[in-house]
Amino acid sequence: MNRLLFILFVFIGLACTDKTASEIMNDQPERDTDQAENDESAFSYLALGDSYTIGESVSEDQRFPVQLVQGLRNEGFDVKPAKIVARTGWTTDELAAAIKNENLDESYNLVTLLIGVNNQYRGRSADEYRSEFKELLQTTIDFAGSQTQNVIVISIPDYGVTPFGKSRDPEKIAKEIDAFNTINSEETQQANARYVDITAISREALNDEKLVAGDGLHPSGEMYRRWVDKILPEATEILESQK
């Protein structure tokens, strides 16, 4: 009898810890508990985006914001763990709505923004993207203490080169991603913020399967590392200017 009860309790415990994919996406990353967490003098970093920022299908330490923080620490900066506001599937309007519901600080030393792939995937118009992206960029700048040069906009990667994308008209995907990137680049330049183009790096996945995560769609940790190699010099300049 005791053995039957034990098996029953184990089964119930496993059932309670099981989550659907959508529930997992709703989880925000746990905050690191290192010393920088409570150090008021440490630099703060806010990362806004979608699946590419939350790091769908990779471990937490391989997400690009987490790798970027580590890169900055390796450069000698005392940086708090990244505050990430991102979820797989978010479009520009969904990110904007989520930001309003987050308990965010008034300003951060560094803010990154990467958004738009789901607008393209859902067939939303370029005009709508421009309008909503422009508003999001202003929100991003506000979180950077209105210091435009403390904001880094990251281009949208091209998922058409992935196993998932190859079956969904990769030429059309590439053309539309380029159009959306033209928009976010123009708006970033107009706002005098920083821009890092990682789209060309994303296209290297066409001939390098280790750059794609196990789900056949999202970037691998190695891909994110290559992105960080391009983002890090800009982020370093931003924090250096605030010493």
Side-chain angles (χ1 to χ4, degrees):
M1 184 66 177
N2 290 338
R3 179 177 175 81
L4 289 175
L5 285 173
F6 175 77
I7 294 172
L8 179 60
F9 288 144
V10 169
F11 177 79
I12 292 173
L14 291 174
C16 290
T17 58
D18 185 35
K19 292 187 176 183
T20 65
S22 61
E23 287 172 333
I24 291 171
M25 291 174 196
N26 288 343
D27 289 343
Q28 290 298 318
E30 293 182 2
R31 301 274 282 167
D32 293 345
T33 56
D34 58 19
Q35 186 174 358
E37 177 78 40
N38 299 313
D39 185 356
E40 293 300 322
S41 65
F43 290 108
S44 56
Y45 167 36
L46 173 64
L48 305 173
D50 50 35
S51 61
Y52 297 126
T53 298
I54 199 63
E56 180 71 18
S57 296
V58 299
S59 60
E60 182 173 346
D61 65 336
Q62 292 186 323
R63 297 166 175 167
F64 93 76
V66 177
Q67 291 197 52
L68 181 58
V69 167
Q70 188 58 54
L72 288 167
R73 289 174 176 174
N74 291 343
E75 293 293 320
F77 296 100
D78 188 15
V79 185
K80 297 178 183 179
K83 171 61 179 177
I84 300 176
V85 181
R87 187 175 300 169
T88 298
W90 273 354
T91 52
T92 44
D93 58 322
E94 290 167 339
L95 173 58
I99 289 171
K100 294 178 181 178
N101 294 323
E102 283 286 329
N103 183 25
L104 298 174
D105 295 337
E106 290 186 1
S107 65
Y108 294 79
N109 299 107
L110 166 66
V111 189
T112 59
L113 175 64
L114 196 178
I115 193 72
V117 69
N118 296 297
N119 293 65
Q120 180 277 329
Y121 181 74
R122 298 189 198 178
R124 295 189 177 182
S125 73
D127 288 342
E128 179 189 70
Y129 177 65
R130 183 183 294 275
S131 175
E132 294 180 352
F133 177 83
K134 188 173 182 177
E135 292 180 5
L136 263 177
L137 179 56
Q138 184 56 58
T139 298
T140 303
I141 292 170
D142 291 342
F143 277 120
S146 299
Q147 300 298 310
T148 59
Q149 282 290 292
N150 293 349
V151 169
I152 302 175
V153 172
I154 301 165
S155 69
I156 305 167
D158 183 358
Y159 68 91
V161 301
T162 66
F164 175 89
K166 287 176 183 177
S167 64
R168 288 165 172 78
D169 197 345
E171 290 185 7
K172 179 175 181 288
I173 292 170
K175 183 178 179 180
E176 292 177 354
I177 292 292
D178 286 345
F180 276 41
N181 278 332
T182 295
I183 291 170
N184 59 43
S185 176
E186 290 173 350
E187 294 299 333
T188 302
Q189 184 176 9
Q190 182 68 26
N192 196 34
R194 298 172 186 257
Y195 190 83
V196 175
D197 188 343
I198 54 80
T199 309
I201 298 175
S202 74
R203 287 170 173 154
E204 294 175 8
L206 179 65
N207 300 306
D208 191 347
E209 62 181 16
K210 73 175 182 292
L211 298 181
V212 182
D215 64 1
L217 170 60
H218 291 94
S220 67
E222 170 61 20
M223 171 73 84
Y224 286 133
R225 184 194 65 77
R226 296 187 188 187
W227 292 12
V228 169
D229 284 345
K230 287 203 70 174
I231 300 167
L232 183 59
E234 298 289 338
T236 297
E237 282 189 14
I238 289 171
L239 297 193
E240 188 67 39
S241 70
Q242 298 177 66
K243 276 188 173 180

